[in-house]
């Protein structure tokens, strides 16, 4: 195994070099092949993963825990970190990091405030992985998204990808756009004006020479894209419920819309979905979102191994 990522905190997609990204992808493929062959894996035997989730999660938490167990390691966690950890007594994330380093070899944290994973990492000497920090970043989701795009399309280079929905608050699209920029992706950013991609991200991508079309027209984007990446309107980030009601359901992918899309288009979604993709799409060949969620296990097996080896 390569040692390029040893000891590294995984906090933001734009902190990963191309070499590091390739190492994670290659290692994930190796784990996928090993699992398919029924090999017994023990890369993490004797090691402990701590999961601290201050916000709800199904996929990120379970796939990290599954990854650790499949690698022969063990998991400790706080069932509801917000209510049941000492955060409820006022403990800082920095201090929590100081504690965790004595209990585990690697930690995954999810938190409602952007920058919180970095605060925990500052206190902890062990590698800390950001499992989603508010409307900030979700780098491991972006890595499994990249892995999925490579599997579904056979390549990452020279693709047109439409990111659709709540681009303002959606941490998955923040991280994914930064990661795909390494591969020269052409983007459609499809969102209502109120939920547009943060201008600092768009400006940074353009500075790197990335071609971006910002539009509210999903049909145009679907007709020209190789990948349609739908996202949920992030209800929990709205301070005004009426504004959420106005914007929910802005974009729905159904079979009628798919009939107008570029032939062979791949539909992705980080999940959970609310009403952004009709169930009738699930049986379509290009509907990759459940395969995408499953890919999270091997990508997270790769990450846990690489940062702790
Ligand atoms: N995609 C994702 O982060 O899902 P969870 O919120 O269920 O972890």
């Amino acid at each position: 195994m390569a040692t390029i990522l040893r000891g590294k905190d995984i906090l933001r997609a734009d902190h990963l070099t191309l070499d590091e990204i390739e190492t994670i992808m290659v290692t994930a493929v190796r784990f996928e092949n090993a699992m398919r062959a029924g090999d017994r894996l023990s890369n993490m035997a004797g090691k402990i993963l701590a999961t601290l989730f201050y916000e709800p999660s199904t996929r990120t938490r379970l796939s990290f825990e599954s990854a650790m167990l499949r690698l022969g390691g063990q998991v400790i966690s706080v069932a509801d970190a917000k209510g049941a950890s000492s955060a409820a007594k006022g403990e800082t994330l920095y201090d929590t990091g100081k504690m965790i380093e004595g209990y585990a070899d690697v930690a995954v944290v999810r938190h409602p405030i952007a920058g919180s994973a970095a605060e925990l990492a500052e206190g902890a000497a062990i590698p800390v992985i950001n499992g989603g920090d508010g409307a900030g970043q979700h780098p491991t989701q972006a890595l499994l998204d990249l892995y999925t795009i490579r599997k579904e399309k056979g390549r990452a280079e020279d693709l047109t990808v439409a990111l659709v929905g709540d681009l303002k608050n959606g941490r998955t699209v923040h991280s994914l756009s930064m990661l795909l920029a390494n591969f020269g992706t052409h983007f459609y950013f499809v969102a209502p004006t109120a939920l547009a991609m943060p201008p600092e991200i768009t400006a940074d991508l353009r500075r790197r020479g990335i071609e971006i079309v910002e539009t509210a027209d999903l049909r145009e984007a679907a007709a020209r894209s190789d990948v349609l990446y739908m996202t949920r309107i992030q209800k929990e980030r709205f301070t005004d419920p009426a504004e959420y009601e106005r914007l929910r359901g802005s974009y729905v992918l159904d079979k009628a819309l798919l009939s107008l899309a570029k032939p062979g288009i791949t539909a992705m979604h980080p999940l959970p979905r609310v009403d952004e993709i009709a169930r009738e799409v699930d049986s379509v060949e290009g509907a990759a979102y459940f395969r995408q969620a499953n890919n999270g296990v091997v990508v997270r097996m790769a990450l846990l191994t690489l940062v702790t080896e």
Side-chain angles (χ1 to χ4, degrees):
M1 288 281 180
T3 57
I4 187 171
L5 282 140
R6 184 179 185 178
K8 185 172 175 113
D9 298 316
I10 309 294
L11 302 176
R12 298 176 56 89
D14 52 354
H15 285 176
L16 291 167
T17 66
L18 197 51
D19 269 3
E20 290 171 339
I21 296 165
E22 288 301 337
T23 300
I24 295 163
M25 295 295 114
V26 167
T27 308
V29 169
R30 202 174 300 154
F31 280 130
E32 183 169 342
N33 291 339
M35 292 226 297
R36 193 173 297 126
D39 293 351
R40 219 178 138 76
L41 301 165
S42 57
N43 302 55
M44 297 296 288
K47 293 196 173 136
I48 296 173
L49 164 69
T51 54
L52 294 102
F53 278 65
Y54 297 81
E55 238 191 13
S57 166
T58 299
R59 277 146 293 274
T60 307
R61 180 168 182 170
L62 288 182
S63 61
F64 261 115
E65 295 187 355
S66 171
M68 191 63 177
L69 295 173
R70 285 187 187 283
L71 289 167
Q74 292 173 289
V75 178
I76 55 172
S77 61
V78 184
D80 160 24
K82 195 171 179 184
S85 78
S86 284
K89 303 177 210 161
E91 184 166 62
T92 63
L93 284 165
Y94 177 88
D95 282 1
T96 302
K98 286 269 170 231
M99 296 301 103
I100 291 294
E101 71 181 43
Y103 304 155
D105 301 284
V106 54
V108 180
V109 59
R110 169 169 291 189
H111 198 281
I113 299 172
S116 49
E119 189 187 335
L120 190 126
E122 203 185 334
I126 57 169
V128 171
I129 300 175
N130 180 3
D133 59 338
Q137 290 264 321
H138 197 346
T140 71
Q141 177 69 45
L143 287 163
L144 78 88
D145 293 341
L146 172 64
Y147 188 82
T148 302
I149 288 170
R150 283 189 157 176
K151 271 184 82 174
E152 298 288 329
K153 310 308 282 186
R155 68 188 199 283
E157 295 76 13
D158 195 30
L159 291 171
T160 301
V161 175
L163 304 179
V164 184
D166 188 350
L167 307 187
K168 177 184 175 195
N169 300 303
R171 56 196 174 202
T172 67
V173 287
H174 299 167
S175 290
L176 183 57
S177 60
M178 292 172 182
L179 204 66
L180 288 179
N182 290 289
F183 302 93
T185 299
H186 311 282
F187 285 114
Y188 277 90
F189 288 170
V190 185
T193 309
L195 299 178
M197 185 68 90
E200 61 274 17
I201 294 180
T202 309
D204 187 51
L205 294 171
R206 287 202 168 113
R207 238 189 331 267
R208 294 171 67 182
I210 301 300
E211 196 181 281
I212 300 166
V213 176
E214 292 187 271
T215 178
D217 185 350
L218 177 56
R219 286 177 176 215
E220 181 206 341
R224 294 166 195 269
S225 296
D226 302 295
V227 175
L228 204 52
Y229 189 98
M230 305 296 293
T231 65
R232 179 175 65 88
I233 308 293
Q234 307 273 301
K235 183 179 184 181
E236 64 275 31
R237 311 278 176 236
F238 282 73
T239 48
D240 178 3
E243 178 73 346
Y244 170 72
E245 289 303 324
R246 185 176 75 78
L247 293 167
R248 63 177 292 194
S250 292
Y251 298 109
V252 177
L253 177 61
D254 56 16
K255 279 193 170 171
L257 196 137
L258 266 186
S259 71
L260 306 172
K262 185 171 175 179
I265 198 166
T266 298
M268 295 175 63
H269 193 306
L271 304 177
R273 69 176 157 186
V274 181
D275 50 13
E276 309 80 43
I277 303 183
R279 258 205 204 177
E280 63 183 14
V281 176
D282 295 359
S283 56
V284 171
E285 197 186 336
Y289 30 95
F290 292 118
R291 295 193 288 275
Q292 178 186 353
N294 287 340
N295 290 336
V297 175
V298 289
V299 171
R300 288 166 172 143
M301 286 168 81
L303 274 169
L304 290 172
T305 301
L306 290 165
V307 299
T308 58
E309 66 188 355

